[in-house]
Amino acid sequence: MTSSSNKISRYDRMELNKPIDLTYFNEQPISSGQFHSHPFYEIFYFHEGRCTYLIGDSIFALKPGDLLLMNGLVLHCPNVEPGSRYVRSILHFDPAWICKGLSDTAKSIVLDPFETLQNHRINLIGADRDEFEGILADMNRLSTSNAGFSQERMTLRIQEMLYMIADWCQAAVQDQDSISEKERHVQHVVSFIEGNYMNDLTLERIARDMHITKHYLSTLFKEVTGTTVFTYLYHRRINQAKIMLRLNPQLSITDISQAAGFKHLAHFSRLFKATVGMTPEYYRKSGGELPLT
């Protein structure tokens, strides 16, 4: 599971300039190893292809029909098999907007899968898959409609989708049976980093704790995730800093850089700007507003 510092506890702490953002049946290729995070919830649906998805300290070998529920603040990254298609639909939404008009009980029901399960995979088959894909297609049609109440109807469709997901999650158990031994090793590495990113980590220490050689560790991690161990580690630290900049305004930039695992403030500031596209100070002032990834 992810650390508690990654959690965003309630729907009213997130705001989007655009409360609903749907990318439907996207076939555009991507570069593997692109880590990202965002301060809103995400529903990811996998239509077709071959892809391993890293979310927090969990690795999923995706299959068509896989539905991923993401608490967006957790670092996540797809690794698409070379030469394979990567067809997905992605819905980002501001839960404060989606839950307008719902009772507290209803809000708890529809948001609980994102807040309790955190990052969860459900494989849809049969009638469930057909119904979900039908709602996705309908939402895509509404998203391009000029009708007067298309936004309101879109919101109702998302609420319906969230109720469906809540129903599935009551009985769903995350399936790790299909994960390979290599993926299991890498998941252990990621879990180790998750619990130690704030400490001074070396490849030697990670390999020793995993009881594997440095060379095997490097090769294995690159094969499964599409990136290197230290690229992941630095992204994890930067992501922790982004979370703290948003949620802990009382802390100084120096305190945040140290808590995220950086020894030197100058190194942290350079890496943050190179990764995020702005300085830590500007990120804090802007409220963490960034384009959707």
Side-chain angles (χ1 to χ4, degrees):
M1 293 296 292
T2 58
S3 65
S4 59
S5 58
N6 267 359
K7 290 184 180 181
I8 190 155
S9 59
R10 291 309 305 167
Y11 53 86
D12 57 357
R13 298 182 70 177
M14 299 190 291
E15 294 293 336
L16 276 174
N17 291 330
K18 187 177 181 182
I20 302 169
D21 188 87
L22 174 65
T23 303
Y24 179 69
F25 214 83
N26 186 2
E27 300 183 61
Q28 292 297 315
I30 64 166
S31 299
S32 291
Q34 293 186 338
F35 293 95
H36 56 282
S37 63
H38 41 73
F40 37 88
Y41 291 157
E42 177 175 329
I43 296 173
F44 175 101
Y45 183 72
F46 189 59
H47 294 274
E48 182 182 346
R50 296 184 64 85
C51 174
T52 301
Y53 215 112
L54 173 63
I55 312 174
D57 61 354
S58 297
I59 294 176
F60 302 99
L62 296 184
K63 299 177 290 185
D66 271 353
L67 176 66
L68 299 179
L69 313 178
M70 302 189 203
N71 183 328
L73 282 179
V74 177
L75 201 64
H76 47 285
C77 170
N79 181 34
V80 182
E81 185 173 302
S84 173
R85 297 182 73 198
Y86 179 48
V87 187
R88 67 278 188 197
S89 291
I90 300 174
L91 174 67
H92 297 129
F93 69 93
D94 178 349
W97 176 274
I98 296 302
C99 289
K100 283 181 179 178
L102 295 182
S103 67
D104 288 342
T105 299
K107 290 175 185 177
S108 178
I109 289 172
V110 299
L111 296 182
D112 186 68
F114 297 89
E115 297 180 350
T116 301
L117 296 176
Q118 289 290 302
N119 303 289
H120 191 64
R121 192 247 311 263
I122 304 171
N123 184 249
L124 301 181
I125 59 174
D128 288 341
R129 182 171 175 177
D130 291 341
E131 184 178 11
F132 185 85
E133 292 183 354
I135 291 181
L136 268 181
D138 197 29
M139 288 168 53
N140 181 59
R141 178 182 60 80
L142 287 170
S143 70
T144 58
S145 172
N146 294 321
F149 295 102
S150 57
Q151 183 76 48
E152 289 78 5
R153 293 170 64 193
M154 181 84 158
T155 301
L156 289 174
R157 294 297 191 281
I158 297 177
Q159 289 176 351
E160 180 183 3
M161 177 182 287
L162 292 176
Y163 276 113
M164 291 168 58
I165 290 171
D167 191 35
W168 293 330
C169 284
Q170 287 183 359
V173 176
Q174 188 167 304
D175 178 16
Q176 290 293 323
D177 292 341
S178 62
I179 194 170
S180 70
E181 191 63 26
K182 290 181 178 180
E183 290 160 356
R184 202 177 303 278
H185 271 305
V186 171
Q187 184 161 314
H188 290 158
V189 173
V190 174
S191 295
F192 179 80
I193 292 174
E194 180 66 24
N196 294 277
Y197 65 84
M198 70 296 295
N199 301 321
D200 186 19
L201 289 181
T202 63
L203 202 62
E204 289 84 354
R205 181 187 170 185
I206 298 172
R208 184 176 65 249
D209 279 77
M210 295 297 104
H211 306 291
I212 54 179
T213 66
K214 289 193 301 180
H215 176 73
Y216 184 64
L217 169 62
S218 299
T219 302
L220 188 65
F221 199 90
K222 177 72 172 179
E223 179 183 339
V224 172
T225 68
T227 192
T228 68
V229 173
F230 277 98
T231 297
Y232 174 77
L233 174 60
Y234 283 133
H235 274 86
R236 178 63 187 87
R237 288 172 170 169
I238 291 295
N239 195 58
Q240 186 63 27
K242 287 167 63 179
I243 294 170
M244 296 180 74
L245 285 165
R246 286 181 60 87
L247 302 183
N248 300 98
Q250 76 281 4
L251 294 179
S252 69
I253 302 298
T254 299
D255 289 339
I256 287 174
S257 70
Q258 292 175 349
F262 291 94
K263 290 183 177 180
H264 305 292
L265 179 61
H267 179 221
F268 165 68
S269 297
R270 285 196 303 271
L271 190 60
F272 191 97
K273 185 173 182 179
T275 304
V276 181
M278 61 180 74
T279 65
E281 293 82 1
Y282 188 84
Y283 184 86
R284 168 174 273 172
K285 290 178 182 177
S286 67
E289 295 285 349
L290 290 173
L292 296 179
T293 303

